[in-house]
Amino acid sequence: MATASNVAGTNPAQAQEFTRPVRSLWSDAWLRLRRNRLAMASIVYLFLLALVAIFAPVIAPHSPGRPTTTELRERGVYRQAAWVVDEKTPKRSGIWKFPLGTDSAGGDVLSRLIYGTRVSMVVGFIPMIFTLTIGITIGLISGFAGGKLDSLLMRFTDIIFSLPDILFFIIVQTAFSQTAFGKTFNGLLLIFLSFSAVNWASVARLVRGQVLSLKEKEFVEAAEAVGVRRGSILFRHILPNTLAPIIVAGAFIVPSAIVTEATLSFLGIGIQPDTNPNNPFPTSWGQMILEGKSAIDSQPWILIASAIAIASITIAFVALGDGLRDALDPRQ
């Protein structure tokens, strides 16, 4: 008896060759993301930075919060990078004990750079969590409830969205940086909250738009028809289908937060420098840029190293965000 494949003119081996295993959206997205070499390189680089941040006390050759006796003797003298020789002032010539040289306090620039990774990673991810939590909550409620509540929440969102970010950060930092709350974790907590307070609006508008589109779909109408509770529809059917754009938005929030912290520290109103050796966040790349600006002629690597670090981590997150956006696009 002829099989269906023979009737169709195709033998079983050819039919098997053209069949494709069923994959979910997330499996397809991961497959597409793996083909993006720049995005995968960014993931590897960010993973290495995360390891540097976690194991900074082990990796750093010196403590940035407590200079050694040698460093104390060299305060006020910028030692150059290890490969630079200063014939006029031998004391400023580089040595491999301090690969990137020293700062004005005699501290090791490389150690400060390593510890600054902690601040950038924390400043990137924690505000992202706060921002997404607030934005997703307001966006879900506004889009699903509709009516007067939707109008009220969106008008409030529009007001927050219209606030100039940097001006708001400067006002908050100036007003509260000297308070007990503002000094918590060297001012990091204040930066977290001030960043999240104004950046959730774009996430809320994104989520609301997704919810308004999804709640008109057939699978939502079917769930309502069989008597599924509204809360279950929202969290089990609508929210999971909004995750793709939310993940992409989160990937772009991180570099924005990192640049914001560096900007505030450069202006002198970011995290506060601390010499306490037990402080896990003693310095930041923004502080190094601020110090390096005034020492550009004496010790340029304070500025160059921190600027390269900020630029590289920002480019990595942006590249990852672009890769996620392409991978999670259903049109692909």
Side-chain angles (χ1 to χ4, degrees):
M1 180 180 292
T3 62
S5 61
N6 291 331
V7 172
T10 306
N11 59 48
Q14 291 176 328
Q16 185 176 5
E17 181 179 352
F18 288 105
T19 57
R20 176 187 174 187
V22 178
R23 290 197 299 262
S24 66
L25 168 66
W26 302 106
S27 299
D28 276 339
W30 172 240
L31 209 60
R32 285 193 291 269
L33 185 64
R34 286 171 55 187
R35 296 194 188 108
N36 190 325
R37 294 183 179 180
L38 183 58
M40 294 305 297
S42 299
I43 291 175
V44 173
Y45 177 67
L46 294 173
F47 177 73
L48 293 177
L49 284 183
L51 293 179
V52 170
I54 294 171
F55 299 105
V58 178
I59 299 172
H62 305 279
S63 170
R66 183 170 53 189
T68 63
T69 305
T70 304
E71 293 167 339
L72 289 172
R73 288 200 302 265
E74 295 180 356
R75 280 191 171 182
V77 178
Y78 290 100
R79 185 176 287 278
Q80 299 291 334
W83 55 88
V84 178
V85 177
D86 191 332
E87 297 179 355
K88 295 182 179 179
T89 311
K91 192 176 182 179
R92 293 181 54 195
S93 295
I95 56 176
W96 285 105
K97 181 180 180 182
F98 307 108
L100 294 179
T102 61
D103 55 23
S104 60
D108 180 36
V109 173
L110 178 60
S111 297
R112 291 185 62 184
L113 194 69
I114 291 173
Y115 272 87
T117 308
R118 283 185 165 184
V119 172
S120 291
M121 298 299 283
V122 169
V123 162
F125 282 100
I126 293 184
M128 179 195 70
I129 295 172
F130 290 167
T131 301
L132 291 181
T133 301
I134 299 171
I136 291 172
T137 302
I138 293 180
L140 284 176
I141 295 173
S142 177
F144 195 68
K148 292 183 179 179
L149 182 58
D150 178 28
S151 299
L152 179 63
L153 290 176
M154 283 300 101
R155 296 300 74 76
F156 176 65
T157 302
D158 291 339
I159 293 172
I160 298 298
F161 193 76
S162 65
L163 293 176
D165 295 356
I166 293 296
L167 180 59
F168 178 81
F169 299 147
I170 292 174
I171 292 173
V172 171
Q173 291 294 122
T174 304
F176 299 103
S177 60
Q178 299 305 315
T179 63
F181 176 77
K183 293 180 181 179
T184 305
F185 296 117
N186 276 19
L188 281 176
L189 184 58
L190 185 59
I191 293 177
F192 296 161
L193 296 181
S194 61
F195 183 88
S196 304
V198 293
N199 283 280
W200 60 264
S202 59
V203 178
R205 295 170 75 173
L206 171 67
V207 174
R208 174 182 177 269
Q210 293 290 317
V211 172
L212 289 176
S213 174
L214 288 169
K215 74 177 185 179
E216 302 297 331
K217 299 294 184 180
E218 291 79 3
F219 67 90
V220 174
E221 294 177 353
E224 292 175 343
V226 298
V228 178
R229 291 180 300 176
R230 289 175 63 82
S232 297
I233 293 175
L234 180 60
F235 291 107
R236 296 186 60 184
H237 297 280
I238 293 180
L239 178 59
N241 286 281
T242 64
L243 289 180
I246 289 173
I247 292 173
V248 175
F252 285 107
I253 289 172
V254 175
S256 176
I258 292 173
V259 172
T260 298
E261 183 279 325
T263 302
L264 294 176
S265 296
F266 177 75
L267 295 175
I269 53 177
I271 76 167
Q272 305 302 315
D274 194 350
T275 58
N276 181 3
N278 297 321
N279 189 338
F281 308 107
T283 187
S284 75
W285 293 339
Q287 287 178 350
M288 294 180 66
I289 289 180
L290 175 61
E291 182 179 342
K293 176 180 70 72
S294 58
I296 185 66
D297 295 326
S298 303
Q299 219 303 32
W301 282 97
I302 301 176
L303 176 62
I304 294 173
S306 52
I308 291 175
I310 292 174
S312 62
I313 193 173
T314 302
I315 292 172
F317 273 113
V318 171
L320 177 58
D322 286 337
L324 288 173
R325 181 177 57 195
D326 294 339
L328 293 170
D329 188 352
R331 292 172 295 182
Q332 298 291 331

